[in-house]
Amino acid sequence: MSSSAVQAFERGADAINRLDADALAELVHEDGVFEPLRAATEGAYVGPDGMRRFVADTVETFDVFEAMLEEVSDLGDGKVLGVGTIRMRGRGSGFQNDVTTAAVAQFRDGLLTRYKDYGDPELARQAAANDW
């Protein structure tokens, strides 16, 4: 049986795959911080409005954006590890790439409070073990 944090993580991945900004925004705490890999250049997305901006940025940048999760693990205390691949194709350029995703997420009261994609499963596991 999946924990509520794992279920929330999976609902978030589904909302991202559907590019459903409202569904994604409903899963995020008011001051929740979402740091996908692109946050290194674009900055983190904060709160429900930040998640709507993430979806808008994704639609503007990509024709295809799909998160395929291979592992979702409950790490306890509302913390989840998600590992998989993000398939993307650039809007206009047509450039397609698959990128490893390895993220740690923290949930409180069923809402995302923090998410960081490390891009490398071992780095994500180390971060989770060190209370990132």
Side-chain angles (χ1 to χ4, degrees):
M1 179 174 209
S2 296
S3 73
S4 61
V6 166
Q7 291 170 357
F9 189 94
E10 291 172 338
R11 283 193 313 272
D14 180 59
I16 287 172
N17 286 340
R18 291 182 288 114
L19 296 173
D20 186 336
D22 291 331
L24 193 56
E26 290 176 4
L27 296 172
V28 179
H29 193 275
E30 189 62 37
D31 59 357
V33 177
F34 183 75
E35 295 181 70
L37 288 175
R38 67 177 118 151
T41 57
E42 297 181 17
Y45 298 89
V46 179
D49 288 340
M51 297 312 292
R52 288 183 185 93
R53 187 170 54 88
F54 169 78
V55 171
D57 290 350
T58 300
V59 168
E60 182 179 318
T61 306
F62 302 103
D63 285 329
V64 172
F65 192 89
E66 180 184 12
M68 299 167 287
L69 297 174
E70 296 153 13
E71 172 188 349
V72 180
S73 302
D74 183 348
L75 302 177
D77 295 325
K79 195 182 297 183
V80 175
L81 171 70
V83 178
T85 303
I86 297 175
R87 173 162 290 148
M88 60 188 88
R89 183 177 64 224
R91 186 172 298 283
S93 72
F95 177 75
Q96 186 162 318
N97 196 18
D98 289 353
V99 177
T100 299
T101 181
V104 180
Q106 180 74 51
F107 292 86
R108 184 177 69 237
D109 301 325
L111 298 176
L112 180 76
T113 58
R114 186 172 176 201
Y115 172 101
K116 181 165 177 63
D117 190 339
Y118 292 88
D120 177 289
E122 188 55 36
L123 288 176
R125 286 183 180 90
Q126 288 174 6
N130 293 320
D131 204 32
W132 58 311

